[in-house]
Amino acid sequence: MLSTPESAALTMSVQTFMDSPFFVGVLTLAGVALGAWLSYVFNRRHEDRKAAREDAQRWDQNVLNHTSAVITLTRQLRSAASDYFGAEQVQLDILLDQQLRGEAIDAPTIAQPALRIFSDTFDAFTQECDQLALVAPTSVREAVQSHWEFAAALMRANPAEDTFTPAHDLASSADVLATSVRQYFGIESIDQR
């Protein structure tokens, strides 16, 4: 580069400007501002990831809690169904015995408390299935829907007919639900251990 008086003057004025306290202050302020902005961006990204991870953990915990409640209520529902169907059979036997003896047939009330428990358990079961369906992934949601349908079939079962099959189907469906939740979480099946 050729040195001319104008370029020497320009170089001198740039050097003077760069050595001035104003330029050093502006440069320092720009460095601090850039550092603060970068710190904000990286901290924000970290906090967003942390919040997303905590949300996912809460959702997963909800899935586990509601699945556990549904499985527990399934056992209670099967027990309540068994009690109700047994009470219905006893009630029917008493009515037949009264009829055979020629007595007036009383209004049946033996199975009413068992029916109330059966119905209340089904209501709690339905509510828990609804809660699980709200927080579960699609594969689990489909298993919950199918499981609820088996429970509804048990509710519709006629005590005078086969009640073993709907109860057995409900138990098998509970196993399918548990397996779908295990698969979602990547948990090894109990059978494979």
Side-chain angles (χ1 to χ4, degrees), residues 22 42 47 73 75 85 88 90 93 106 161 190-191:
F22 174 75
F42 288 117
E47 290 299 320
L73 284 167
R75 290 185 187 115
F85 296 146
E88 274 288 316
V90 168
D93 290 345
D106 295 329
E161 297 173 3
I190 294 173
D191 303 346

Side-chain angles (χ1 to χ4, degrees), residues 73-90 111 114-115 117-119 121 154-155 157 159 163-164 166-168 170:
L73 284 167
T74 298
R75 290 185 187 115
Q76 292 174 0
L77 186 63
R78 291 183 65 220
S79 176
S82 176
D83 292 346
Y84 169 65
F85 296 146
E88 274 288 316
Q89 188 60 48
V90 168
L115 176 60
I117 291 169
F118 186 29
S119 179
T121 305
L154 182 62
M155 283 296 293
T163 57
F164 173 79
H168 177 73
L170 183 61

Side-chain angles (χ1 to χ4, degrees), residues 20-91:
S20 74
F22 174 75
F23 179 73
V24 171
V26 168
L27 192 58
T28 302
L29 188 58
V32 168
L34 179 62
W37 181 76
L38 287 173
S39 176
Y40 170 78
V41 167
F42 288 117
N43 281 334
R44 181 65 186 199
R45 287 181 63 199
H46 172 74
E47 290 299 320
D48 288 348
R49 286 185 190 139
K50 182 179 174 184
R53 188 173 51 250
E54 288 171 355
D55 284 347
Q57 287 173 340
R58 269 193 301 277
W59 277 99
D60 288 350
Q61 190 60 49
N62 281 335
V63 169
L64 290 174
N65 290 343
H66 289 298
T67 301
S68 176
V70 166
I71 299 297
T72 299
L73 284 167
T74 298
R75 290 185 187 115
Q76 292 174 0
L77 186 63
R78 291 183 65 220
S79 176
S82 176
D83 292 346
Y84 169 65
F85 296 146
E88 274 288 316
Q89 188 60 48
V90 168
Q91 183 171 288

